[in-house]
Amino acid sequence: MGTSPPVPLLFLLLLAILPSPPAAAAGGPSAWGALRGAAGSRRASPAEQEVAAAGVLRRLLPSHAHSFSFQIDSKGSVCGQSSCFRISNAVDNLGKGGAEILIQGTTGVELVSGLHWYLKYWCGAHISWDKTGGAQLASVPSPGSLPRVKREGVKIERPVPWNYYQNVVTSSYSFVWWDWKRWEKEIDWMALQGINLPLAFTGQEAIWQKVFKTFNVTDRDLDDFFGGPAFLAWARMGNLHGWGGPLSQNWLDQQLALQKKILSRMIELGMVPVLPSFSGNVPAVFSKLFPSANITRLGDWNTVDADPKYCCTYLLGPSDALFLEVGQAFIRQQLKEYGDVTNIYSCDTFNENTPPTNEPAYISSLGSAVYEAMSRGNKNAVWLMQGWLFYSDAAFWKEPQMKALLHSVPIGKMVVLDLFADVKPIWKISSQFYGVPYIWCLLHNFGGNIEMYGILDSIASGPIDARTSYNSTMIGVGMCMEGIEHNPVVYDLTSEMAFRNKKVEVEDWLKTYSYRRYGQANTEIEKAWRYLYRTIYNCTDGIADHNKDYIVEFPDISPSSFSSQLSKRRGMSISSNHRRFFLSEVSGSLPQPHLWYSTKEAIKALDLFLNAGNEFSKSLTYRYDLVDLTRQCLSKLANDVYLDAMRSYQKKDSNDLNSHTKRFLEIIVDIDILLAADDNFLLGPWLESAKSLAVTESERKQYEWNARTQVTMWYDNTETEQSKLHDYANKFWSGLLKRYYLPRASKYFAYLTRSLQENRSFQLEEWRKDWISYSNEWQSGKELYAVKATGDALAISRSLYRKYFS
């Protein structure tokens, strides 16, 4: 039976993991100078930032709106040359309904970070996305009773200046259907996590429309250039064009207005937004309008049959004078629309796009041209580049090629995101990016999949190892997941690493995390988290391609082609293509879902979670974690059941096949029922949020098709061949399991059974035709799905545990 620990005991527990004053920041004074120079001229005043911080508090904890006082340290008397926040006891009006706690800091972000730090480590609170259980604030004492800090206060300095956020595809996998209300919540979350360098990609198509019109490109030409709302990220990168489109003027205007709100709030909080820049991707009509320009048609990117309607985009070479004109025009149009809000611009012109030659001089000239286009538009421009290419195309990017690109601009005018540093850190094999500043990043999630996964030890030590290494050029910590709203423990720890200067003892940290997450201590929950730490959150095999359970990524092959593999042990992993968008291509071999831990140990953690259920049954954070863990255990069980079914087929044992088939399909139904008991695991909200942005009926139909297609087939298909990216963005959502994944598996097993009954080979092509036809109909469907949970998650989870694991 768990109880809340006495306050003094909690303080001792928390003090054990709080950081001591930091050592000198990586990069020295120049790193901090770069931070100050990154913001544009449109900056919020100290008073505006204090008001913005108070606004975050008011939305988060309205009952305590007057309990905290915020003060920007504009003269550096508290933080000096560094970025910091300081928490101290307020002296004015204490006991008279006035502020109890004073938080000082260098920017609005620091003020809000200080608020979050205080709520976490003095009040035992926890804050995560609403879709992962939301905020646990019940443990915060009432106004007038907030815990005091030590007399001299507590000062936390950033050991590195930057805290970066977002992947270039997060805008499509997670943000695409958001309105201002949801964006406001996200920006609040960013500030609470200490994020001061967020990507701001919303609304750029409206900017491009205005820019391209000055080059005589018509709206009709752009209909074939822009992708649909759910596929904008890949249209921006030049991977595809037209898929899911065209974009209406309503969409363009709506998104531009939304971007202006987003940027205004970011500026009010003292953030430095990262805006897009020109990477060379141009409409097809450019080759007709400018016949002498250096325009190359790129190769196919993941279409089934290289249909030019969607594939093979056009790239304007950076060495062409026209490149500089377009790039400069785009930067200046953003300055005209938004004002001078930033000097940092994102560009990934070489991302999954190999240069035509590996000659260093050529690569250097291309890099110089990319930067020149930025700097002509904004003389203070800094190029922010994802370092994914150095991992995904490592065979090309050897030392001479890397140096050529990284040194093609002045040192300090480029910042590299070491995008996959949690698994494959490039800083270790590149002499710290050959002197170029970089940000240690967590990638973690592909496609917005729902899967419990992480490497907590890497997060707890990786940024520290990078920053304290010899000749370190690390200037920040970043979170670059392709999709958000999952695995809150991973992001809670990662965001803290931007403020920590020593490695975190994860087991101790998890003890406080579980207390904060659920609002009270419980020995069984603490033990459960120790199991989770050793298993699910301890993936050390270096394989990135997780989220491949058979339920959500069903093998698209004939069972006769993998008979020899079935004798191998279960749970083995296979290596995958490094390119992040190529992870689900059809293969002739049986794919093995990635399993890096003992499922028996994870089931023990589930048992402990259930034992604590009566005490935590009303906690939304507990319910989310319980449903997610139960789903995880059941999905791994289903993998084994699928393999048992395949063995039965190979043995031509119809009875055994029927038994395993029934069990596999039953697990899908049971998981769907479980997920239906939590608002955060429903298909309905994704579809309804898409439709809610539509102004016309045709938009409504288009947006729903986009939403349905992205999470299922993703890209084009033929009658008998699924998209090469099918199931890439798979989701464990109630409604999607019952109406999409279940029919697919049912059809497959029906063909298996018929194959044995009729004593003929498995009719793979017939199944594909049947299944793909169903999928296309579902993608174009209009049936409604629940947006509110039904059922008792705890009771359902207990019932499923007894059914499958007792």
Side-chain angles (χ1 to χ4, degrees):
M1 189 78 172
T3 57
S4 298
V7 172
L9 177 58
L10 175 61
F11 280 172
L12 289 173
L13 187 61
L14 297 175
L15 286 171
I17 65 167
L18 287 173
S20 57
S30 61
W32 300 99
L35 176 63
R36 287 192 291 273
S41 62
R42 185 186 158 195
R43 304 180 191 180
S45 68
E48 288 173 315
Q49 294 186 57
E50 290 164 3
V51 169
V56 176
L57 170 61
R58 187 174 62 253
R59 289 184 290 275
L60 176 70
L61 201 59
S63 58
H64 291 67
H66 301 292
S67 299
F68 295 86
S69 178
F70 298 105
Q71 185 180 99
I72 291 289
D73 178 36
S74 55
K75 296 182 179 180
S77 58
V78 174
C79 299
Q81 295 299 306
S82 298
S83 287
C84 87
F85 59 80
R86 181 177 182 271
I87 306 168
S88 59
N89 302 313
V91 294
D92 297 336
N93 301 316
L94 189 60
K96 301 178 182 178
E100 301 168 71
I101 299 296
L102 170 65
I103 301 177
Q104 299 164 292
T106 43
T107 69
V109 169
E110 262 62 41
L111 297 181
V112 179
S113 302
L115 168 67
H116 190 196
W117 202 271
Y118 176 82
L119 292 175
K120 289 170 77 167
Y121 290 121
W122 275 265
C123 303
H126 175 74
I127 300 166
S128 67
W129 293 293
D130 286 352
K131 285 187 71 67
T132 57
Q136 184 292 110
L137 299 170
S139 61
V140 179
S142 58
S145 304
L146 292 180
R148 310 285 281 170
V149 300
K150 58 187 180 182
R151 179 174 298 223
E152 65 273 22
V154 176
K155 176 177 156 184
I156 306 292
E157 293 183 13
R158 289 184 185 268
V160 283
W162 300 110
N163 191 348
Y164 176 81
Y165 178 50
Q166 288 180 46
N167 191 295
V168 294
V169 302
T170 321
S171 56
S172 289
Y173 282 133
S174 294
F175 305 159
V176 55
W177 310 120
W178 285 4
D179 56 12
W180 169 243
K181 182 179 179 181
R182 178 61 187 86
W183 261 111
E184 183 174 53
K185 274 183 171 288
E186 190 69 9
I187 298 170
D188 285 354
W189 179 88
M190 291 182 202
L192 288 159
Q193 310 304 321
I195 292 161
N196 57 9
L197 188 65
L199 207 58
F201 268 22
T202 302
Q204 62 178 281
E205 282 67 33
I207 304 292
W208 279 120
Q209 181 191 47
K210 295 178 181 184
V211 170
F212 283 136
K213 277 186 177 180
T214 67
F215 290 88
N216 298 317
V217 177
T218 67
D219 288 347
R220 178 160 291 190
D221 294 326
L222 292 177
D223 285 346
D224 183 52
F225 180 63
F226 296 137
F231 303 97
L232 285 179
W234 300 276
R236 292 165 180 169
M237 289 187 287
N239 301 130
L240 54 81
H241 64 96
W243 180 251
L247 295 178
S248 69
Q249 194 63 46
N250 289 331
W251 173 272
L252 296 172
D253 295 343
Q254 180 188 68
Q255 292 295 298
L256 182 59
L258 180 59
Q259 170 76 333
K260 290 180 178 179
K261 285 186 175 182
I262 291 168
L263 289 174
S264 291
R265 182 58 55 80
M266 288 178 174
I267 297 303
E268 288 169 8
L269 285 162
M271 295 178 181
V272 178
V274 179
L275 291 178
S277 63
F278 182 49
S279 64
N281 186 28
V282 293
V285 73
F286 250 57
S287 59
K288 295 178 181 178
L289 293 171
F290 308 98
S292 62
N294 177 20
I295 297 175
T296 304
R297 188 154 200 193
L298 300 179
D300 179 35
W301 183 87
N302 276 327
T303 61
V304 171
D305 56 4
D307 186 344
K309 187 177 180 181
Y310 308 118
C311 91
C312 312
T313 57
Y314 293 82
L315 185 71
L316 175 60
S319 59
D320 195 293
L322 187 59
F323 186 100
L324 301 178
E325 288 184 46
V326 177
Q328 174 181 327
F330 183 64
I331 298 292
R332 289 187 174 175
Q333 186 63 39
Q334 290 185 103
L335 284 165
K336 180 179 178 181
E337 293 285 345
Y338 310 139
D340 184 13
V341 297
T342 186
N343 292 324
I344 302 193
Y345 298 92
S346 172
C347 186
D348 294 305
T349 191
F350 304 112
N351 194 43
E352 301 191 1
N353 173 28
T354 305
T357 174
N358 66 358
E359 184 60 43
Y362 176 79
I363 294 170
S364 181
S365 68
L366 293 184
S368 296
V370 169
Y371 178 70
E372 186 178 351
M374 288 182 199
S375 60
R376 282 193 182 185
N378 180 344
K379 61 182 176 60
N380 298 313
V382 175
W383 178 2
L384 181 82
M385 182 185 73
Q386 291 192 155
W388 176 257
L389 70 170
F390 301 134
Y391 166 72
S392 66
D393 200 3
F396 178 90
W397 293 101
K398 302 298 185 182
E399 181 175 340
Q401 290 75 31
M402 287 181 69
K403 277 186 175 180
L405 177 58
L406 294 171
H407 292 169
S408 64
V409 303
I411 298 294
K413 290 297 185 177
M414 175 187 281
V415 176
V416 182
L417 301 178
D418 197 356
L419 203 72
F420 206 20
D422 55 318
V423 177
K424 300 288 185 181
I426 300 300
W427 69 265
K428 289 186 176 181
I429 59 172
S430 65
S431 300
Q432 304 275 343
F433 291 95
Y434 307 110
V436 172
Y438 73 95
I439 296 175
W440 187 101
C441 294
L442 168 90
L443 179 51
H444 186 256
N445 177 269
F446 294 89
N449 306 136
I450 295 174
E451 168 89 347
M452 295 180 74
Y453 159 85
I455 323 172
L456 295 183
D457 282 338
S458 174
I459 297 168
S461 61
I464 309 301
D465 290 339
R467 181 177 58 81
T468 59
S469 60
Y470 178 70
N471 278 344
S472 176
T473 56
M474 174 187 160
I475 60 167
V477 175
M479 296 189 288
C480 301
M481 48 283 208
E482 288 193 351
I484 65 168
E485 300 177 319
H486 50 78
N487 289 288
V489 65
V490 170
Y491 303 111
D492 193 300
L493 179 57
T494 307
S495 65
E496 280 196 14
M497 298 311 297
F499 293 95
R500 291 187 174 275
N501 61 88
K502 291 183 179 179
K503 296 179 182 180
V504 173
E505 294 297 329
V506 177
E507 196 159 326
D508 292 339
W509 184 87
L510 281 172
K511 189 173 183 180
T512 66
Y513 173 82
S514 65
Y515 174 90
R516 295 187 293 103
R517 177 86 172 142
Y518 314 117
Q520 63 186 76
N522 180 284
T523 54
E524 288 182 299
I525 287 289
E526 289 174 5
K527 187 177 180 181
W529 272 105
R530 287 197 292 273
Y531 277 118
L532 294 177
Y533 170 42
R534 296 197 298 262
T535 56
I536 288 172
Y537 292 110
N538 186 35
C539 183
T540 58
D541 57 19
I543 294 176
D545 194 7
H546 43 281
N547 316 98
K548 297 294 177 184
D549 291 334
Y550 290 132
I551 289 176
V552 292
E553 184 154 327
F554 203 77
D556 182 24
I557 48 182
S558 169
S560 60
S561 68
F562 53 77
S563 57
S564 62
Q565 297 183 34
L566 291 173
S567 61
K568 298 178 182 179
R569 69 179 180 85
R570 296 174 176 171
M572 62 183 292
S573 300
I574 58 170
S575 59
S576 60
N577 194 307
H578 287 170
R579 294 178 180 266
R580 99 184 107 175
F581 307 110
F582 296 179
L583 298 178
S584 53
E585 294 184 7
V586 175
S587 169
S589 60
L590 175 65
Q592 296 283 341
H594 181 200
L595 185 62
W596 62 95
Y597 62 90
S598 163
T599 54
K600 290 182 180 180
E601 297 285 282
I603 291 168
K604 288 179 182 177
L606 175 58
D607 185 29
L608 290 163
F609 256 84
L610 290 170
N611 290 343
N614 291 342
E615 195 167 336
F616 293 111
S617 60
K618 294 183 179 180
S619 164
L620 297 180
T621 47
Y622 167 81
R623 186 179 73 183
Y624 174 88
D625 289 348
L626 174 66
V627 170
D628 203 20
L629 180 55
T630 308
R631 174 211 55 75
Q632 180 96 355
C633 292
L634 287 171
S635 64
K636 301 308 175 190
L637 173 64
N639 292 339
D640 288 343
V641 175
Y642 171 87
L643 294 176
D644 287 338
M646 295 302 102
R647 291 186 182 90
S648 299
Y649 177 82
Q650 298 295 343
K651 295 175 182 176
K652 301 187 183 300
D653 188 333
S654 296
N655 291 334
D656 215 26
L657 173 62
N658 182 61
S659 175
H660 294 310
T661 294
K662 181 180 178 183
R663 188 170 175 82
F664 186 83
L665 300 179
E666 194 172 3
I667 292 174
I668 297 178
V669 173
D670 283 342
I671 295 178
D672 191 274
I673 292 170
L674 169 73
L675 299 177
D678 190 291
D679 291 333
N680 307 305
F681 293 95
L682 304 177
L683 169 64
W686 171 252
L687 300 182
E688 294 306 312
S689 62
K691 291 184 283 184
S692 70
L693 294 186
V695 177
T696 66
E697 184 55 37
S698 62
E699 287 175 349
R700 183 181 175 90
K701 182 178 179 181
Q702 177 194 12
Y703 296 175
E704 181 167 10
W705 183 90
N706 268 252
R708 286 170 175 253
T709 299
Q710 191 211 77
V711 299
T712 53
M713 198 64 79
W714 206 106
Y715 207 8
D716 68 325
N717 59 264
T718 64
E719 281 191 358
T720 57
E721 188 175 356
Q722 296 191 74
S723 162
K724 291 181 179 180
L725 296 175
H726 73 91
D727 298 331
Y728 181 80
N730 65 67
K731 303 290 189 294
F732 272 98
W733 281 341
S734 177
L736 194 58
L737 266 74
K738 191 172 183 180
R739 298 300 180 190
Y740 190 81
Y741 298 133
L742 178 64
R744 172 170 61 183
S746 298
K747 290 176 183 292
Y748 187 85
F749 285 120
Y751 277 90
L752 275 186
T753 301
R754 192 180 310 159
S755 170
L756 290 185
Q757 290 174 342
E758 299 175 359
N759 194 29
R760 63 173 184 160
S761 61
F762 178 76
Q763 302 299 296
L764 177 62
E765 191 138 315
E766 286 184 23
W767 171 72
R768 284 175 172 169
K769 191 171 183 178
D770 188 359
W771 157 244
I772 292 170
S773 174
Y774 177 89
S775 179
N776 291 160
E777 288 178 13
W778 188 89
Q779 289 165 239
S780 299
K782 293 183 178 180
E783 67 275 10
L784 299 177
Y785 290 87
V787 294
K788 290 294 181 184
T790 55
D792 183 332
L794 177 59
I796 294 169
S797 184
R798 280 174 168 164
S799 174
L800 294 177
Y801 182 88
R802 289 192 297 269
K803 180 177 180 178
Y804 291 105
F805 302 122
S806 290

